[in-house]
CSV table of all heavy atoms in Angstrom, one decimal:
chain,number,residue,atom,x,y,z
A,48,ARG,N,37.9,20.1,26.6
A,48,ARG,CA,39.3,20.1,26.7
A,48,ARG,C,39.9,18.8,26.2
A,48,ARG,O,41.1,18.7,25.8
A,48,ARG,CB,39.8,20.4,28.1
A,48,ARG,CG,39.5,21.8,28.6
A,48,ARG,CD,40.3,22.1,29.8
A,48,ARG,NE,39.9,21.3,31.0
A,48,ARG,CZ,39.0,21.6,31.9
A,48,ARG,NH1,38.4,22.8,31.7
A,48,ARG,NH2,38.7,20.8,32.8
A,49,PHE,N,39.1,17.7,26.3
A,49,PHE,CA,39.6,16.4,26.0
A,49,PHE,C,39.3,16.0,24.6
A,49,PHE,O,40.1,15.3,23.9
A,49,PHE,CB,39.0,15.4,27.0
A,49,PHE,CG,39.4,14.0,26.8
A,49,PHE,CD1,40.6,13.5,27.3
A,49,PHE,CD2,38.7,13.1,26.1
A,49,PHE,CE1,41.0,12.2,27.2
A,49,PHE,CE2,39.1,11.8,25.9
A,49,PHE,CZ,40.3,11.3,26.4
A,50,ALA,N,38.1,16.4,24.0
A,50,ALA,CA,37.7,15.9,22.7
A,50,ALA,C,37.4,17.0,21.8
A,50,ALA,O,36.9,18.1,22.2
A,50,ALA,CB,36.4,15.0,22.9
A,51,PRO,N,37.6,16.8,20.5
A,51,PRO,CA,37.3,17.8,19.5
A,51,PRO,C,35.7,17.9,19.3
A,51,PRO,O,35.0,17.0,19.7
A,51,PRO,CB,38.0,17.3,18.2
A,51,PRO,CG,38.1,15.8,18.4
A,51,PRO,CD,38.3,15.6,19.9
A,52,ASN,N,35.3,19.0,18.7
A,52,ASN,CA,33.8,19.2,18.5
A,52,ASN,C,33.2,18.1,17.7
A,52,ASN,O,32.0,17.7,18.0
A,52,ASN,CB,33.6,20.5,17.8
A,52,ASN,CG,33.9,21.7,18.7
A,52,ASN,OD1,33.8,21.6,19.9
A,52,ASN,ND2,34.2,22.8,18.1
A,53,ALA,N,33.9,17.5,16.7
A,53,ALA,CA,33.3,16.4,15.9
A,53,ALA,C,33.0,15.2,16.8
A,53,ALA,O,31.9,14.6,16.6
A,53,ALA,CB,34.3,16.1,14.8
A,54,ALA,N,33.9,14.9,17.7
A,54,ALA,CA,33.6,13.7,18.5
A,54,ALA,C,32.5,14.0,19.5
A,54,ALA,O,31.7,13.1,19.8
A,54,ALA,CB,34.9,13.3,19.3
A,55,ILE,N,32.5,15.2,20.0
A,55,ILE,CA,31.4,15.6,21.0
A,55,ILE,C,30.0,15.5,20.3
A,55,ILE,O,29.0,15.1,20.8
A,55,ILE,CB,31.7,17.0,21.6
A,55,ILE,CG1,32.9,17.0,22.4
A,55,ILE,CG2,30.5,17.4,22.4
A,55,ILE,CD1,33.4,18.3,22.9
A,56,ASP,N,30.0,16.0,19.0
A,56,ASP,CA,28.8,16.0,18.2
A,56,ASP,C,28.2,14.5,18.1
A,56,ASP,O,27.0,14.3,18.2
A,56,ASP,CB,29.0,16.6,16.9
A,56,ASP,CG,29.1,18.1,16.9
A,56,ASP,OD1,28.7,18.7,18.0
A,56,ASP,OD2,29.6,18.7,15.9
A,57,VAL,N,29.1,13.6,17.9
A,57,VAL,CA,28.7,12.2,17.7
A,57,VAL,C,28.1,11.7,19.0
A,57,VAL,O,27.0,11.0,19.0
A,57,VAL,CB,30.0,11.3,17.3
A,57,VAL,CG1,29.6,9.8,17.3
A,57,VAL,CG2,30.5,11.7,15.9
A,58,THR,N,28.7,11.9,20.1
A,58,THR,CA,28.2,11.5,21.4
A,58,THR,C,26.9,12.2,21.7
A,58,THR,O,25.9,11.6,22.2
A,58,THR,CB,29.2,11.7,22.5
A,58,THR,OG1,29.6,13.0,22.6
A,58,THR,CG2,30.4,10.8,22.3
A,59,ASP,N,26.8,13.5,21.4
A,59,ASP,CA,25.5,14.2,21.7
A,59,ASP,C,24.4,13.6,20.8
A,59,ASP,O,23.3,13.5,21.4
A,59,ASP,CB,25.7,15.7,21.3
A,59,ASP,CG,26.4,16.4,22.4
A,59,ASP,OD1,26.6,15.8,23.5
A,59,ASP,OD2,26.8,17.6,22.2
A,60,ARG,N,24.6,13.3,19.6
A,60,ARG,CA,23.6,12.8,18.7
A,60,ARG,C,23.1,11.4,19.3
A,60,ARG,O,22.0,11.0,19.2
A,60,ARG,CB,24.1,12.6,17.3
A,60,ARG,CG,24.1,14.0,16.6
A,60,ARG,CD,24.2,13.8,15.0
A,60,ARG,NE,25.4,13.0,14.6
A,60,ARG,CZ,26.5,13.6,14.4
A,60,ARG,NH1,26.7,15.0,14.4
A,60,ARG,NH2,27.6,12.9,14.0
A,61,PHE,N,24.1,10.6,19.8
A,61,PHE,CA,23.8,9.3,20.3
A,61,PHE,C,22.9,9.5,21.5
A,61,PHE,O,21.8,8.8,21.7
A,61,PHE,CB,25.0,8.6,20.7
A,61,PHE,CG,24.8,7.3,21.5
A,61,PHE,CD1,24.4,6.1,20.8
A,61,PHE,CD2,24.9,7.3,22.9
A,61,PHE,CE1,24.1,5.0,21.6
A,61,PHE,CE2,24.7,6.1,23.6
A,61,PHE,CZ,24.3,5.0,22.9
A,62,ILE,N,23.2,10.4,22.4
A,62,ILE,CA,22.4,10.6,23.6
A,62,ILE,C,21.0,11.1,23.3
A,62,ILE,O,20.0,10.7,23.9
A,62,ILE,CB,23.1,11.5,24.6
A,62,ILE,CG1,24.4,10.7,25.2
A,62,ILE,CG2,22.2,11.9,25.8
A,62,ILE,CD1,25.2,11.6,26.1
A,63,VAL,N,21.0,12.0,22.4
A,63,VAL,CA,19.7,12.6,21.9
A,63,VAL,C,18.8,11.5,21.4
A,63,VAL,O,17.6,11.4,21.7
A,63,VAL,CB,19.9,13.7,20.9
A,63,VAL,CG1,18.5,14.1,20.3
A,63,VAL,CG2,20.4,15.0,21.6
A,64,ARG,N,19.4,10.6,20.5
A,64,ARG,CA,18.6,9.5,19.9
A,64,ARG,C,18.1,8.6,21.0
A,64,ARG,O,17.0,8.1,21.0
A,64,ARG,CB,19.5,8.8,18.9
A,64,ARG,CG,18.7,7.7,18.1
A,64,ARG,CD,19.6,7.2,17.0
A,64,ARG,NE,20.8,6.5,17.4
A,64,ARG,CZ,22.0,6.9,17.3
A,64,ARG,NH1,22.2,8.1,16.7
A,64,ARG,NH2,23.0,6.2,17.7
A,65,LEU,N,19.0,8.3,22.0
A,65,LEU,CA,18.6,7.4,23.1
A,65,LEU,C,17.5,8.0,23.9
A,65,LEU,O,16.6,7.3,24.3
A,65,LEU,CB,19.9,7.1,23.9
A,65,LEU,CG,19.9,5.8,24.8
A,65,LEU,CD1,19.8,4.6,23.9
A,65,LEU,CD2,21.2,5.8,25.5
Side-chain angles (χ1 to χ4, degrees):
R48 290 196 297 268
F49 181 82
N52 288 336
I55 296 174
D56 287 344
V57 171
T58 56
D59 281 349
R60 286 197 298 271
F61 172 77
I62 291 177
V63 168
R64 184 169 67 252
L65 203 58

